[in-house]
Short mmCIF file of all heavy atoms in Angstrom, two decimals:
data_model
loop_
_atom_site.label_atom_id
_atom_site.label_comp_id
_atom_site.label_asym_id
_atom_site.label_seq_id
_atom_site.Cartn_x
_atom_site.Cartn_y
_atom_site.Cartn_z
N MET A 1 62.97 -88.52 -203.38
CA MET A 1 61.72 -89.11 -202.90
C MET A 1 61.90 -89.54 -201.46
O MET A 1 62.72 -90.39 -201.14
CB MET A 1 61.37 -90.32 -203.78
CG MET A 1 59.94 -90.80 -203.57
SD MET A 1 58.72 -89.70 -204.32
CE MET A 1 57.21 -90.50 -203.79
N ASP A 2 61.14 -88.97 -200.56
CA ASP A 2 61.25 -89.26 -199.15
C ASP A 2 60.18 -90.26 -198.76
O ASP A 2 59.07 -89.89 -198.38
CB ASP A 2 61.13 -87.97 -198.34
CG ASP A 2 61.28 -88.23 -196.85
OD1 ASP A 2 61.89 -89.25 -196.49
OD2 ASP A 2 60.79 -87.41 -196.06
N LEU A 3 60.50 -91.53 -198.88
CA LEU A 3 59.54 -92.56 -198.53
C LEU A 3 59.57 -92.79 -197.02
O LEU A 3 60.62 -92.78 -196.40
CB LEU A 3 59.87 -93.86 -199.26
CG LEU A 3 59.73 -93.80 -200.78
CD1 LEU A 3 60.13 -95.13 -201.39
CD2 LEU A 3 58.31 -93.45 -201.18
N GLY A 4 58.40 -93.01 -196.46
CA GLY A 4 58.29 -93.20 -195.03
C GLY A 4 58.49 -94.65 -194.65
O GLY A 4 58.87 -95.48 -195.48
N PRO A 5 58.22 -94.95 -193.37
CA PRO A 5 58.33 -96.34 -192.90
C PRO A 5 57.34 -97.24 -193.64
O PRO A 5 56.30 -96.79 -194.11
CB PRO A 5 57.97 -96.24 -191.42
CG PRO A 5 58.12 -94.81 -191.07
CD PRO A 5 57.84 -94.03 -192.32
N GLU A 6 57.68 -98.50 -193.71
CA GLU A 6 56.83 -99.47 -194.41
C GLU A 6 55.65 -99.87 -193.54
O GLU A 6 55.80 -100.14 -192.35
CB GLU A 6 57.67 -100.69 -194.77
CG GLU A 6 56.92 -101.73 -195.58
CD GLU A 6 57.81 -102.90 -195.92
OE1 GLU A 6 58.79 -102.71 -196.68
OE2 GLU A 6 57.56 -104.00 -195.41
N CYS A 7 54.49 -99.93 -194.14
CA CYS A 7 53.28 -100.35 -193.44
C CYS A 7 53.34 -101.85 -193.18
O CYS A 7 53.58 -102.63 -194.09
CB CYS A 7 52.06 -100.00 -194.29
SG CYS A 7 50.53 -100.69 -193.66
N PRO A 8 53.11 -102.28 -191.91
CA PRO A 8 53.13 -103.71 -191.61
C PRO A 8 51.97 -104.46 -192.25
O PRO A 8 52.03 -105.68 -192.39
CB PRO A 8 53.00 -103.77 -190.08
CG PRO A 8 53.31 -102.39 -189.60
CD PRO A 8 52.92 -101.47 -190.72
N ASN A 9 50.94 -103.75 -192.64
CA ASN A 9 49.76 -104.41 -193.21
C ASN A 9 49.89 -104.63 -194.72
O ASN A 9 49.72 -105.73 -195.20
CB ASN A 9 48.52 -103.57 -192.90
CG ASN A 9 47.26 -104.24 -193.39
OD1 ASN A 9 46.89 -105.30 -192.91
ND2 ASN A 9 46.61 -103.64 -194.37
N CYS A 10 50.22 -103.57 -195.45
CA CYS A 10 50.24 -103.69 -196.91
C CYS A 10 51.65 -103.63 -197.47
O CYS A 10 51.86 -103.82 -198.67
CB CYS A 10 49.39 -102.59 -197.54
SG CYS A 10 50.04 -100.92 -197.30
N HIS A 11 52.65 -103.36 -196.60
CA HIS A 11 54.06 -103.34 -196.98
C HIS A 11 54.38 -102.29 -198.03
O HIS A 11 55.33 -102.43 -198.79
CB HIS A 11 54.53 -104.73 -197.43
CG HIS A 11 54.34 -105.77 -196.36
ND1 HIS A 11 55.10 -105.80 -195.21
CD2 HIS A 11 53.45 -106.78 -196.25
CE1 HIS A 11 54.68 -106.82 -194.46
NE2 HIS A 11 53.70 -107.42 -195.06
N GLU A 12 53.57 -101.25 -198.06
CA GLU A 12 53.87 -100.09 -198.90
C GLU A 12 54.48 -99.02 -198.02
O GLU A 12 54.12 -98.90 -196.85
CB GLU A 12 52.60 -99.55 -199.56
CG GLU A 12 51.93 -100.52 -200.52
CD GLU A 12 52.74 -100.75 -201.78
OE1 GLU A 12 53.54 -99.86 -202.13
OE2 GLU A 12 52.58 -101.81 -202.40
N PRO A 13 55.41 -98.22 -198.53
CA PRO A 13 56.10 -97.22 -197.69
C PRO A 13 55.29 -95.95 -197.49
O PRO A 13 55.78 -94.84 -197.70
CB PRO A 13 57.39 -96.96 -198.47
CG PRO A 13 56.99 -97.17 -199.89
CD PRO A 13 55.93 -98.25 -199.90
N TRP A 14 54.06 -96.08 -197.08
CA TRP A 14 53.18 -94.91 -196.95
C TRP A 14 52.70 -94.68 -195.53
O TRP A 14 51.64 -94.11 -195.31
CB TRP A 14 51.98 -95.05 -197.90
CG TRP A 14 52.36 -95.12 -199.32
CD1 TRP A 14 52.15 -96.18 -200.17
CD2 TRP A 14 53.03 -94.13 -200.10
NE1 TRP A 14 52.65 -95.89 -201.40
CE2 TRP A 14 53.18 -94.65 -201.40
CE3 TRP A 14 53.51 -92.84 -199.81
CZ2 TRP A 14 53.82 -93.92 -202.41
CZ3 TRP A 14 54.14 -92.12 -200.81
CH2 TRP A 14 54.27 -92.67 -202.10
N LEU A 15 53.50 -95.12 -194.58
CA LEU A 15 53.15 -94.89 -193.18
C LEU A 15 53.49 -93.44 -192.83
O LEU A 15 54.61 -92.98 -193.05
CB LEU A 15 53.93 -95.85 -192.31
CG LEU A 15 53.26 -96.37 -191.03
CD1 LEU A 15 51.93 -97.03 -191.37
CD2 LEU A 15 54.17 -97.36 -190.35
N ARG A 16 52.54 -92.73 -192.29
CA ARG A 16 52.75 -91.32 -191.97
C ARG A 16 52.33 -91.06 -190.53
O ARG A 16 51.34 -91.61 -190.07
CB ARG A 16 51.92 -90.43 -192.90
CG ARG A 16 52.35 -90.50 -194.35
CD ARG A 16 53.70 -89.85 -194.54
NE ARG A 16 54.17 -89.97 -195.92
CZ ARG A 16 54.94 -90.95 -196.37
NH1 ARG A 16 55.29 -91.91 -195.57
NH2 ARG A 16 55.34 -90.97 -197.62
N PRO A 17 53.07 -90.16 -189.82
CA PRO A 17 52.66 -89.81 -188.46
C PRO A 17 51.35 -89.04 -188.49
O PRO A 17 51.09 -88.26 -189.42
CB PRO A 17 53.79 -88.91 -187.95
CG PRO A 17 54.86 -88.96 -188.99
CD PRO A 17 54.25 -89.43 -190.26
N THR A 18 50.51 -89.25 -187.50
CA THR A 18 49.30 -88.44 -187.35
C THR A 18 49.61 -87.32 -186.37
O THR A 18 50.74 -87.20 -185.88
CB THR A 18 48.14 -89.30 -186.81
OG1 THR A 18 48.42 -89.65 -185.47
CG2 THR A 18 47.95 -90.55 -187.65
N ASN A 19 48.62 -86.50 -186.06
CA ASN A 19 48.86 -85.43 -185.10
C ASN A 19 48.81 -85.92 -183.66
O ASN A 19 48.98 -85.15 -182.73
CB ASN A 19 47.89 -84.25 -185.32
CG ASN A 19 46.46 -84.71 -185.39
OD1 ASN A 19 46.15 -85.84 -185.03
ND2 ASN A 19 45.58 -83.85 -185.86
N LEU A 20 48.60 -87.22 -183.47
CA LEU A 20 48.73 -87.82 -182.15
C LEU A 20 50.11 -88.44 -182.04
O LEU A 20 50.53 -89.18 -182.92
CB LEU A 20 47.67 -88.91 -181.95
CG LEU A 20 46.23 -88.43 -181.77
CD1 LEU A 20 45.28 -89.62 -181.80
CD2 LEU A 20 46.08 -87.68 -180.47
N ALA A 21 50.82 -88.15 -180.95
CA ALA A 21 52.18 -88.64 -180.78
C ALA A 21 52.20 -90.16 -180.75
O ALA A 21 51.42 -90.79 -180.04
CB ALA A 21 52.78 -88.08 -179.49
N GLY A 22 53.08 -90.73 -181.53
CA GLY A 22 53.25 -92.17 -181.52
C GLY A 22 52.24 -92.92 -182.36
O GLY A 22 52.26 -94.14 -182.41
N ARG A 23 51.32 -92.19 -183.00
CA ARG A 23 50.31 -92.84 -183.83
C ARG A 23 50.65 -92.63 -185.30
O ARG A 23 51.01 -91.52 -185.72
CB ARG A 23 48.92 -92.26 -183.55
CG ARG A 23 48.46 -92.47 -182.13
CD ARG A 23 48.14 -93.94 -181.87
NE ARG A 23 47.71 -94.14 -180.48
CZ ARG A 23 46.44 -94.01 -180.09
NH1 ARG A 23 45.52 -93.67 -180.95
NH2 ARG A 23 46.12 -94.20 -178.83
N TYR A 24 50.51 -93.70 -186.05
CA TYR A 24 50.79 -93.63 -187.48
C TYR A 24 49.59 -94.13 -188.25
O TYR A 24 48.83 -94.95 -187.78
CB TYR A 24 52.01 -94.50 -187.84
CG TYR A 24 53.32 -93.90 -187.39
CD1 TYR A 24 53.72 -93.98 -186.07
CD2 TYR A 24 54.14 -93.25 -188.30
CE1 TYR A 24 54.91 -93.43 -185.65
CE2 TYR A 24 55.34 -92.71 -187.91
CZ TYR A 24 55.71 -92.79 -186.58
OH TYR A 24 56.90 -92.24 -186.18
N ARG A 25 49.46 -93.62 -189.45
CA ARG A 25 48.41 -94.12 -190.33
C ARG A 25 48.99 -94.37 -191.70
O ARG A 25 49.77 -93.57 -192.23
CB ARG A 25 47.26 -93.12 -190.44
CG ARG A 25 46.04 -93.72 -191.14
CD ARG A 25 44.89 -92.75 -191.16
NE ARG A 25 45.14 -91.71 -192.15
CZ ARG A 25 44.19 -91.13 -192.88
NH1 ARG A 25 42.95 -91.48 -192.72
NH2 ARG A 25 44.49 -90.20 -193.75
N CYS A 26 48.61 -95.48 -192.29
CA CYS A 26 49.03 -95.79 -193.64
C CYS A 26 48.08 -95.09 -194.61
O CYS A 26 46.87 -95.32 -194.57
CB CYS A 26 49.01 -97.29 -193.87
SG CYS A 26 49.41 -97.75 -195.57
N VAL A 27 48.64 -94.23 -195.46
CA VAL A 27 47.78 -93.49 -196.38
C VAL A 27 47.44 -94.35 -197.60
O VAL A 27 46.70 -93.93 -198.49
CB VAL A 27 48.43 -92.16 -196.83
CG1 VAL A 27 48.61 -91.24 -195.64
CG2 VAL A 27 49.77 -92.40 -197.52
N TYR A 28 47.97 -95.56 -197.64
CA TYR A 28 47.70 -96.46 -198.76
C TYR A 28 46.51 -97.37 -198.45
O TYR A 28 45.54 -97.42 -199.20
CB TYR A 28 48.95 -97.27 -199.07
CG TYR A 28 48.85 -98.10 -200.33
CD1 TYR A 28 49.10 -97.53 -201.58
CD2 TYR A 28 48.53 -99.44 -200.26
CE1 TYR A 28 49.01 -98.28 -202.73
CE2 TYR A 28 48.45 -100.21 -201.42
CZ TYR A 28 48.68 -99.62 -202.64
OH TYR A 28 48.60 -100.37 -203.77
N CYS A 29 46.57 -98.06 -197.28
CA CYS A 29 45.49 -98.98 -196.92
C CYS A 29 44.64 -98.43 -195.78
O CYS A 29 43.66 -99.05 -195.39
CB CYS A 29 46.05 -100.35 -196.54
SG CYS A 29 47.01 -100.36 -194.99
N LEU A 30 45.05 -97.25 -195.23
CA LEU A 30 44.28 -96.52 -194.21
C LEU A 30 44.22 -97.23 -192.86
O LEU A 30 43.39 -96.88 -192.02
CB LEU A 30 42.85 -96.19 -194.70
CG LEU A 30 42.79 -95.38 -196.00
CD1 LEU A 30 41.35 -95.06 -196.35
CD2 LEU A 30 43.63 -94.10 -195.88
N HIS A 31 45.07 -98.21 -192.64
CA HIS A 31 45.16 -98.82 -191.33
C HIS A 31 45.91 -97.89 -190.39
O HIS A 31 46.78 -97.12 -190.81
CB HIS A 31 45.88 -100.17 -191.41
CG HIS A 31 44.98 -101.29 -191.86
ND1 HIS A 31 44.49 -101.39 -193.15
CD2 HIS A 31 44.48 -102.36 -191.17
CE1 HIS A 31 43.74 -102.49 -193.23
NE2 HIS A 31 43.72 -103.09 -192.06
N ARG A 32 45.58 -97.98 -189.10
CA ARG A 32 46.23 -97.15 -188.08
C ARG A 32 47.10 -98.03 -187.19
O ARG A 32 46.74 -99.17 -186.90
CB ARG A 32 45.19 -96.44 -187.22
CG ARG A 32 44.43 -95.38 -187.97
CD ARG A 32 43.23 -94.94 -187.17
NE ARG A 32 42.39 -94.03 -187.94
CZ ARG A 32 42.58 -92.71 -187.97
NH1 ARG A 32 43.52 -92.17 -187.24
NH2 ARG A 32 41.81 -91.94 -188.70
N PHE A 33 48.22 -97.44 -186.73
CA PHE A 33 49.15 -98.18 -185.89
C PHE A 33 49.64 -97.29 -184.77
O PHE A 33 49.69 -96.06 -184.91
CB PHE A 33 50.35 -98.66 -186.71
CG PHE A 33 49.97 -99.57 -187.83
CD1 PHE A 33 49.73 -99.05 -189.09
CD2 PHE A 33 49.83 -100.93 -187.63
CE1 PHE A 33 49.35 -99.89 -190.14
CE2 PHE A 33 49.46 -101.77 -188.66
CZ PHE A 33 49.22 -101.24 -189.92
N GLU A 34 49.98 -97.92 -183.67
CA GLU A 34 50.58 -97.23 -182.54
C GLU A 34 52.02 -97.69 -182.42
O GLU A 34 52.30 -98.87 -182.42
CB GLU A 34 49.82 -97.54 -181.26
CG GLU A 34 50.39 -96.84 -180.04
CD GLU A 34 49.66 -97.23 -178.78
OE1 GLU A 34 49.17 -98.37 -178.69
OE2 GLU A 34 49.57 -96.41 -177.88
N LEU A 35 52.94 -96.72 -182.33
CA LEU A 35 54.35 -97.05 -182.17
C LEU A 35 54.66 -97.21 -180.69
O LEU A 35 54.57 -96.26 -179.92
CB LEU A 35 55.22 -95.94 -182.79
CG LEU A 35 56.72 -96.23 -182.83
CD1 LEU A 35 57.00 -97.47 -183.68
CD2 LEU A 35 57.46 -95.04 -183.41
N ARG A 36 54.99 -98.44 -180.28
CA ARG A 36 55.25 -98.72 -178.88
C ARG A 36 56.65 -98.26 -178.51
O ARG A 36 57.57 -98.30 -179.32
CB ARG A 36 55.11 -100.23 -178.61
CG ARG A 36 53.79 -100.80 -179.07
CD ARG A 36 52.61 -100.08 -178.47
NE ARG A 36 52.64 -100.09 -177.00
CZ ARG A 36 52.03 -100.99 -176.26
NH1 ARG A 36 51.32 -101.94 -176.82
NH2 ARG A 36 52.10 -100.94 -174.95
N SER A 37 56.81 -97.81 -177.25
CA SER A 37 58.14 -97.43 -176.77
C SER A 37 58.90 -98.64 -176.25
O SER A 37 60.11 -98.58 -176.05
CB SER A 37 58.01 -96.37 -175.67
OG SER A 37 57.23 -96.85 -174.62
N VAL A 38 58.20 -99.74 -176.00
CA VAL A 38 58.82 -100.98 -175.57
C VAL A 38 58.49 -102.05 -176.61
O VAL A 38 57.33 -102.18 -177.01
CB VAL A 38 58.33 -101.41 -174.17
CG1 VAL A 38 58.92 -102.75 -173.77
CG2 VAL A 38 58.66 -100.35 -173.15
N CYS A 39 59.49 -102.80 -177.01
CA CYS A 39 59.30 -103.82 -178.04
C CYS A 39 58.32 -104.89 -177.56
O CYS A 39 58.53 -105.47 -176.49
CB CYS A 39 60.64 -104.45 -178.40
SG CYS A 39 60.50 -105.81 -179.56
N PRO A 40 57.26 -105.18 -178.31
CA PRO A 40 56.30 -106.22 -177.92
C PRO A 40 56.93 -107.60 -177.96
O PRO A 40 56.42 -108.54 -177.34
CB PRO A 40 55.20 -106.12 -178.98
CG PRO A 40 55.44 -104.84 -179.70
CD PRO A 40 56.90 -104.54 -179.58
N ASN A 41 58.02 -107.73 -178.68
CA ASN A 41 58.65 -109.04 -178.86
C ASN A 41 59.68 -109.36 -177.78
O ASN A 41 59.64 -110.41 -177.17
CB ASN A 41 59.28 -109.11 -180.25
CG ASN A 41 59.79 -110.51 -180.57
OD1 ASN A 41 59.09 -111.50 -180.38
ND2 ASN A 41 61.00 -110.60 -181.07
N CYS A 42 60.62 -108.43 -177.54
CA CYS A 42 61.72 -108.74 -176.62
C CYS A 42 61.76 -107.82 -175.41
O CYS A 42 62.55 -108.04 -174.50
CB CYS A 42 63.06 -108.68 -177.36
SG CYS A 42 63.58 -107.01 -177.81
N GLY A 43 60.93 -106.78 -175.36
CA GLY A 43 60.86 -105.91 -174.20
C GLY A 43 61.90 -104.81 -174.17
O GLY A 43 61.97 -104.05 -173.19
N GLU A 44 62.70 -104.70 -175.23
CA GLU A 44 63.74 -103.68 -175.30
C GLU A 44 63.10 -102.31 -175.50
O GLU A 44 62.17 -102.16 -176.29
CB GLU A 44 64.69 -103.99 -176.46
CG GLU A 44 65.86 -103.05 -176.59
CD GLU A 44 66.99 -103.39 -175.61
OE1 GLU A 44 66.94 -104.48 -175.00
OE2 GLU A 44 67.89 -102.56 -175.47
N HIS A 45 63.65 -101.30 -174.77
CA HIS A 45 63.16 -99.94 -174.95
C HIS A 45 63.76 -99.33 -176.21
O HIS A 45 64.89 -99.61 -176.57
CB HIS A 45 63.52 -99.07 -173.74
CG HIS A 45 62.67 -99.34 -172.55
ND1 HIS A 45 61.69 -98.48 -172.12
CD2 HIS A 45 62.64 -100.40 -171.72
CE1 HIS A 45 61.10 -99.00 -171.07
NE2 HIS A 45 61.66 -100.16 -170.78
N SER A 46 62.97 -98.51 -176.86
CA SER A 46 63.42 -97.90 -178.11
C SER A 46 63.46 -96.40 -177.96
O SER A 46 62.68 -95.81 -177.23
CB SER A 46 62.47 -98.27 -179.24
OG SER A 46 62.69 -97.45 -180.36
N THR A 47 64.42 -95.78 -178.64
CA THR A 47 64.48 -94.33 -178.69
C THR A 47 63.67 -93.86 -179.88
O THR A 47 64.03 -94.08 -181.02
CB THR A 47 65.93 -93.84 -178.83
OG1 THR A 47 66.72 -94.46 -177.83
CG2 THR A 47 66.01 -92.34 -178.68
N ILE A 48 62.54 -93.25 -179.57
CA ILE A 48 61.62 -92.85 -180.63
C ILE A 48 61.77 -91.36 -180.93
O ILE A 48 61.74 -90.54 -180.03
CB ILE A 48 60.16 -93.14 -180.20
CG1 ILE A 48 59.96 -94.65 -180.05
CG2 ILE A 48 59.19 -92.57 -181.23
CD1 ILE A 48 58.60 -95.01 -179.51
N VAL A 49 61.98 -91.06 -182.19
CA VAL A 49 61.95 -89.67 -182.63
C VAL A 49 60.52 -89.38 -183.08
O VAL A 49 60.09 -89.75 -184.16
CB VAL A 49 62.94 -89.43 -183.78
CG1 VAL A 49 62.97 -87.96 -184.17
CG2 VAL A 49 64.33 -89.91 -183.40
N ARG A 50 59.78 -88.78 -182.18
CA ARG A 50 58.35 -88.59 -182.44
C ARG A 50 58.11 -87.56 -183.54
O ARG A 50 58.87 -86.64 -183.72
CB ARG A 50 57.64 -88.14 -181.16
CG ARG A 50 57.61 -89.21 -180.10
CD ARG A 50 56.58 -88.88 -179.04
NE ARG A 50 56.60 -89.85 -177.94
CZ ARG A 50 55.98 -91.02 -177.99
NH1 ARG A 50 55.26 -91.32 -179.04
NH2 ARG A 50 56.04 -91.84 -176.97
N MET A 51 57.03 -87.77 -184.26
CA MET A 51 56.56 -86.87 -185.30
C MET A 51 57.56 -86.73 -186.45
O MET A 51 57.55 -85.77 -187.18
CB MET A 51 56.24 -85.47 -184.74
CG MET A 51 55.26 -85.48 -183.59
SD MET A 51 53.75 -86.42 -183.97
CE MET A 51 53.01 -85.31 -185.18
N SER A 52 58.41 -87.70 -186.61
CA SER A 52 59.33 -87.68 -187.73
C SER A 52 58.96 -88.78 -188.71
O SER A 52 58.70 -89.90 -188.31
CB SER A 52 60.77 -87.87 -187.25
OG SER A 52 61.60 -88.19 -188.34
N SER A 53 58.95 -88.45 -189.98
CA SER A 53 58.58 -89.46 -190.97
C SER A 53 59.69 -90.48 -191.15
O SER A 53 59.48 -91.53 -191.74
CB SER A 53 58.28 -88.79 -192.31
OG SER A 53 59.43 -88.16 -192.80
N THR A 54 60.87 -90.17 -190.63
CA THR A 54 61.98 -91.09 -190.77
C THR A 54 62.25 -91.85 -189.47
O THR A 54 63.26 -92.51 -189.34
CB THR A 54 63.26 -90.36 -191.20
OG1 THR A 54 63.53 -89.34 -190.26
CG2 THR A 54 63.11 -89.75 -192.58
N ALA A 55 61.33 -91.73 -188.49
CA ALA A 55 61.50 -92.44 -187.23
C ALA A 55 61.55 -93.93 -187.47
O ALA A 55 60.83 -94.47 -188.31
CB ALA A 55 60.35 -92.11 -186.29
N THR A 56 62.41 -94.59 -186.75
CA THR A 56 62.50 -96.04 -186.90
C THR A 56 61.27 -96.69 -186.30
O THR A 56 60.76 -96.27 -185.27
CB THR A 56 63.78 -96.57 -186.24
OG1 THR A 56 63.79 -97.99 -186.41
CG2 THR A 56 63.84 -96.25 -184.76
N THR A 57 60.78 -97.70 -186.96
CA THR A 57 59.62 -98.44 -186.45
C THR A 57 60.02 -99.86 -186.11
O THR A 57 59.18 -100.69 -185.87
CB THR A 57 58.50 -98.46 -187.49
OG1 THR A 57 58.97 -99.08 -188.68
CG2 THR A 57 58.03 -97.06 -187.82
N GLN A 58 61.34 -100.12 -186.09
CA GLN A 58 61.80 -101.46 -185.79
C GLN A 58 62.63 -101.46 -184.52
O GLN A 58 63.34 -100.50 -184.23
CB GLN A 58 62.66 -102.00 -186.94
CG GLN A 58 61.83 -102.39 -188.16
CD GLN A 58 62.67 -103.11 -189.19
OE1 GLN A 58 63.80 -102.73 -189.44
NE2 GLN A 58 62.12 -104.15 -189.78
N CYS A 59 62.54 -102.55 -183.76
CA CYS A 59 63.31 -102.72 -182.53
C CYS A 59 64.80 -102.80 -182.87
O CYS A 59 65.20 -103.54 -183.78
CB CYS A 59 62.84 -103.98 -181.83
SG CYS A 59 63.83 -104.40 -180.39
N ASN A 60 65.61 -102.06 -182.12
CA ASN A 60 67.06 -102.10 -182.34
C ASN A 60 67.65 -103.44 -181.94
O ASN A 60 68.70 -103.84 -182.46
CB ASN A 60 67.73 -100.99 -181.54
CG ASN A 60 67.42 -99.62 -182.10
OD1 ASN A 60 67.29 -99.46 -183.30
ND2 ASN A 60 67.29 -98.64 -181.23
N ALA A 61 67.01 -104.13 -181.02
CA ALA A 61 67.58 -105.37 -180.49
C ALA A 61 67.23 -106.58 -181.35
O ALA A 61 68.11 -107.36 -181.71
CB ALA A 61 67.11 -105.59 -179.06
N CYS A 62 65.96 -106.75 -181.70
CA CYS A 62 65.55 -107.97 -182.39
C CYS A 62 65.06 -107.72 -183.80
O CYS A 62 64.82 -108.67 -184.54
CB CYS A 62 64.50 -108.71 -181.57
SG CYS A 62 62.90 -107.88 -181.50
N GLY A 63 64.86 -106.45 -184.17
CA GLY A 63 64.44 -106.14 -185.54
C GLY A 63 62.97 -106.32 -185.78
O GLY A 63 62.49 -106.16 -186.89
N ASP A 64 62.21 -106.65 -184.72
CA ASP A 64 60.78 -106.82 -184.85
C ASP A 64 60.12 -105.46 -184.97
O ASP A 64 60.66 -104.44 -184.56
CB ASP A 64 60.25 -107.55 -183.62
CG ASP A 64 59.07 -108.45 -183.96
OD1 ASP A 64 59.09 -109.05 -185.05
OD2 ASP A 64 58.17 -108.56 -183.13
N SER A 65 58.94 -105.44 -185.55
CA SER A 65 58.21 -104.19 -185.70
C SER A 65 57.70 -103.70 -184.35
O SER A 65 57.19 -104.48 -183.54
CB SER A 65 57.03 -104.38 -186.65
OG SER A 65 56.27 -103.20 -186.71
N MET A 66 57.83 -102.39 -184.12
CA MET A 66 57.34 -101.79 -182.88
C MET A 66 55.92 -101.24 -183.06
O MET A 66 55.38 -100.59 -182.19
CB MET A 66 58.26 -100.64 -182.45
CG MET A 66 59.71 -101.04 -182.29
SD MET A 66 60.03 -101.88 -180.74
CE MET A 66 60.07 -100.49 -179.61
N LEU A 67 55.35 -101.47 -184.21
CA LEU A 67 54.02 -100.96 -184.51
C LEU A 67 52.95 -101.99 -184.17
O LEU A 67 53.06 -103.15 -184.54
CB LEU A 67 53.91 -100.60 -185.99
CG LEU A 67 54.76 -99.41 -186.44
CD1 LEU A 67 54.82 -99.40 -187.96
CD2 LEU A 67 54.19 -98.11 -185.93
N LEU A 68 51.93 -101.55 -183.45
CA LEU A 68 50.80 -102.42 -183.17
C LEU A 68 49.57 -101.83 -183.83
O LEU A 68 49.33 -100.62 -183.75
CB LEU A 68 50.56 -102.53 -181.66
CG LEU A 68 51.56 -103.38 -180.88
CD1 LEU A 68 51.07 -103.53 -179.45
CD2 LEU A 68 51.74 -104.75 -181.50
N PRO A 69 48.76 -102.65 -184.49
CA PRO A 69 47.52 -102.16 -185.08
C PRO A 69 46.57 -101.66 -184.00
O PRO A 69 46.49 -102.24 -182.92
CB PRO A 69 46.93 -103.39 -185.79
CG PRO A 69 48.03 -104.39 -185.85
CD PRO A 69 48.95 -104.09 -184.69
N ILE A 70 45.86 -100.58 -184.28
CA ILE A 70 44.87 -100.07 -183.33
C ILE A 70 43.54 -99.91 -184.05
O ILE A 70 43.49 -99.89 -185.27
CB ILE A 70 45.29 -98.74 -182.68
CG1 ILE A 70 45.68 -97.71 -183.74
CG2 ILE A 70 46.44 -98.96 -181.72
CD1 ILE A 70 45.98 -96.34 -183.17
ZN1 LIG B 101 49.22 -99.98 -195.42
ZN1 LIG B 102 62.76 -106.34 -179.80
#
Protein backbone atom coordinates (compact mmCIF):
# COMPACT_ATOMS: atom_id res chain seq x y z
CA MET A 1 0.00 0.00 0.00
CA ASP A 2 1.62 3.22 -1.16
CA LEU A 3 0.17 5.88 1.09
CA GLY A 4 0.94 9.46 0.21
CA PRO A 5 1.78 12.44 2.41
CA GLU A 6 -0.63 13.26 5.21
CA CYS A 7 -3.16 15.99 4.60
CA PRO A 8 -2.66 18.92 7.02
CA ASN A 9 -6.42 19.48 7.07
CA CYS A 10 -7.94 16.06 7.70
CA HIS A 11 -4.75 14.13 8.61
CA GLU A 12 -5.59 11.33 6.21
CA PRO A 13 -2.76 10.06 3.95
CA TRP A 14 -4.55 10.99 0.74
CA LEU A 15 -2.54 13.95 -0.44
CA ARG A 16 -1.83 13.58 -4.14
CA PRO A 17 0.15 15.74 -6.60
CA THR A 18 -1.90 17.55 -9.21
CA ASN A 19 -0.74 18.24 -12.75
CA LEU A 20 0.49 21.63 -11.53
CA ALA A 21 4.02 21.49 -10.13
CA GLY A 22 4.14 21.91 -6.39
CA ARG A 23 0.36 21.71 -6.01
CA TYR A 24 -1.29 18.97 -4.04
CA ARG A 25 -4.88 18.02 -3.48
CA CYS A 26 -6.32 15.83 -0.78
CA VAL A 27 -8.60 13.28 -2.40
CA TYR A 28 -10.27 12.70 0.96
CA CYS A 29 -11.39 16.21 1.97
CA LEU A 30 -10.68 17.85 -1.43
CA HIS A 31 -8.64 20.68 0.03
CA ARG A 32 -5.81 22.04 -2.11
CA PHE A 33 -2.30 22.88 -0.94
CA GLU A 34 0.80 24.46 -2.37
CA LEU A 35 4.17 22.96 -1.46
CA ARG A 36 6.52 25.85 -0.67
CA SER A 37 10.21 25.66 -1.57
CA VAL A 38 11.04 27.78 1.48
CA CYS A 39 9.80 26.83 4.93
CA PRO A 40 7.10 29.30 6.12
CA ASN A 41 8.24 28.69 9.68
CA CYS A 42 12.05 28.93 9.68
CA GLY A 43 12.94 30.02 6.13
CA GLU A 44 15.00 26.92 5.36
CA HIS A 45 15.11 25.87 1.71
CA SER A 46 13.84 22.41 0.92
CA THR A 47 14.80 19.97 -1.80
CA ILE A 48 11.52 19.12 -3.43
CA VAL A 49 11.06 16.05 -5.58
CA ARG A 50 8.29 17.37 -7.74
CA MET A 51 5.43 15.21 -8.98
CA SER A 52 6.35 12.39 -6.64
CA SER A 53 3.78 10.93 -4.30
CA THR A 54 6.55 10.25 -1.82
CA ALA A 55 7.91 13.81 -1.84
CA THR A 56 8.53 15.14 1.62
CA THR A 57 6.11 17.81 2.74
CA GLN A 58 7.96 18.62 5.95
CA CYS A 59 10.84 21.02 6.56
CA ASN A 60 14.14 19.22 7.12
CA ALA A 61 15.22 21.82 9.66
CA CYS A 62 12.22 22.34 11.94
CA GLY A 63 9.79 19.59 10.90
CA ASP A 64 7.04 22.08 10.16
CA SER A 65 4.71 21.47 7.25
CA MET A 66 5.77 23.06 3.95
CA LEU A 67 2.20 22.93 2.66
CA LEU A 68 0.08 26.06 2.56
CA PRO A 69 -3.66 25.94 1.88
CA ILE A 70 -4.70 27.62 -1.36
ZN1 LIG B 1 -7.58 16.12 3.59
ZN1 LIG C 1 11.46 24.94 8.81
